[in-house]
Amino acid sequence: MEIMKNIYQISGGSYANIANIYVIKGTDSLIMVDTAETASDYQMLEDNLRYWGLDRFPVSCVLLSHKHLNHIGNAWRYRERGARIVAGDKDAEAIEKGITEQICDYDPFPKKEPYVPCKVDLRVRDGDEFEAAGLRFKVYEVPGHTMGSVFYELKMDGRIILFTGDVLNVKKDCSGAYLGWEGGIDFDRGAFFESIKKFSLLDCDVILPGHFQTCMQGGGRILRDAYKVALEEWRQPSVSIE
């Protein structure tokens, strides 16, 4: 479905799939954010690209938010077709080597089919900027959910858009923030809390997360609510975000 001009959601709850996958139409090609996991997921992505008339454009770049299976499983398929793969520096090794315990090959995300390791063409770190399909992205490292989780920021049509992966999800009716799953092998609550403090100082209009619903306006409020949620749920000492 088209959720903004030139931005489409091609997987997620509306498609009976756990992972939100997005495609951005650039000047002459597509940028995909995450890839879902299985061959059947891949077929769904391709079907939805065809439905929206996007199949005439190549996928030139895939932005991976983090290393968990339900986000990276089809990356190799797009790289074989010529896409450049981008991922956080600290998650890249697990993506390239298929390190089982790190890519979450156990309950609640059991491996559904063999994972095919995928080379990462661009390893990004905090503050990096890069261009893809004529669009410019900025990277924020937000470790905690995984140690290499990243946000990708895109400014388009006068709006600031954040692709937040699993670090930050949005509650029903955009009423607040959900924090990412804590069951990963390298989940680190201390690092996660520092990431939340950092991104609570940012602002954005749109939040496009890795799961659940999107936030299409007033995204800065969700960023700040994440800090409140962390203080309340994790019993952290109060820290000013002024």
Side-chain angles (χ1 to χ4, degrees):
M1 68 187 80
E2 187 171 19
I3 55 176
M4 291 178 60
K5 183 179 179 182
N6 291 324
I7 299 183
Y8 300 78
Q9 183 175 350
I10 58 172
S11 175
S14 298
Y15 298 100
N17 190 283
I18 190 173
N20 292 341
I21 309 300
Y22 305 98
V23 167
I24 309 151
K25 183 180 176 296
T27 52
D28 56 2
S29 62
L30 305 176
I31 303 161
M32 184 174 289
V33 183
D34 289 336
T35 68
E37 181 177 352
T38 66
S40 60
D41 294 341
Y42 172 75
Q43 188 60 56
M44 176 187 63
L45 301 182
E46 292 300 294
D47 288 346
N48 285 330
L49 290 177
R50 279 191 292 275
Y51 179 83
W52 290 103
L54 297 171
D55 56 318
R56 66 184 185 275
F57 301 102
V59 177
S60 62
C61 191
V62 172
L63 311 184
L64 299 178
S65 62
H66 66 295
K67 62 191 175 187
H68 287 161
L69 271 173
N70 54 337
H71 297 266
I72 67 172
N74 287 307
W76 69 276
R77 289 185 164 96
Y78 287 101
R79 191 171 190 278
E80 281 197 342
R81 291 170 50 182
R84 180 173 59 151
I85 307 299
V86 181
D89 181 63
K90 294 178 183 177
D91 275 5
E93 182 181 16
I95 294 167
E96 291 188 331
K97 295 182 178 179
I99 302 173
T100 298
E101 66 272 16
Q102 292 192 30
I103 62 174
C104 234
D105 183 13
Y106 52 86
D107 183 75
F109 301 117
K111 184 168 62 176
K112 298 174 183 176
E113 58 187 41
Y115 172 71
V116 178
C118 180
K119 178 176 173 54
V120 175
D121 299 289
L122 179 62
R123 297 184 177 208
V124 291
R125 297 182 177 181
D126 196 54
D128 284 353
E129 296 188 22
F130 62 92
E131 289 191 3
L135 301 172
R136 191 157 188 84
F137 292 85
K138 183 174 181 178
V139 176
Y140 296 96
E141 284 186 299
V142 284
H145 178 70
T146 69
M147 293 312 291
S149 291
V150 293
F151 285 178
Y152 296 101
E153 179 189 86
L154 171 65
K155 295 180 180 179
M156 177 183 278
D157 295 333
R159 305 175 82 181
I160 301 172
I161 303 157
L162 280 181
F163 297 90
T164 60
D166 284 8
V167 171
L168 177 66
N169 294 300
V170 180
K171 289 183 178 179
K172 184 179 178 181
D173 299 328
C174 298
S175 59
Y178 282 127
L179 304 181
W181 178 63
E182 300 184 20
I185 194 70
D186 62 346
F187 173 82
D188 186 315
R189 181 172 286 184
F192 204 152
F193 186 66
E194 292 303 313
S195 294
I196 292 168
K197 284 199 293 183
K198 180 173 74 173
F199 69 65
S200 70
L201 299 175
L202 301 177
D203 200 5
C204 70
D205 301 293
V206 176
I207 294 176
L208 301 181
H211 298 285
F212 310 118
Q213 76 167 77
T214 60
C215 174
M216 303 306 296
Q217 61 180 10
R221 177 177 56 83
I222 305 298
L223 297 177
R224 291 183 286 277
D225 187 66
Y227 186 38
K228 176 176 176 289
V229 170
L231 287 172
E232 292 176 347
E233 294 186 1
W234 296 348
R235 301 179 183 275
Q236 296 283 352
S238 179
V239 179
S240 172
I241 62 171
E242 295 295 324

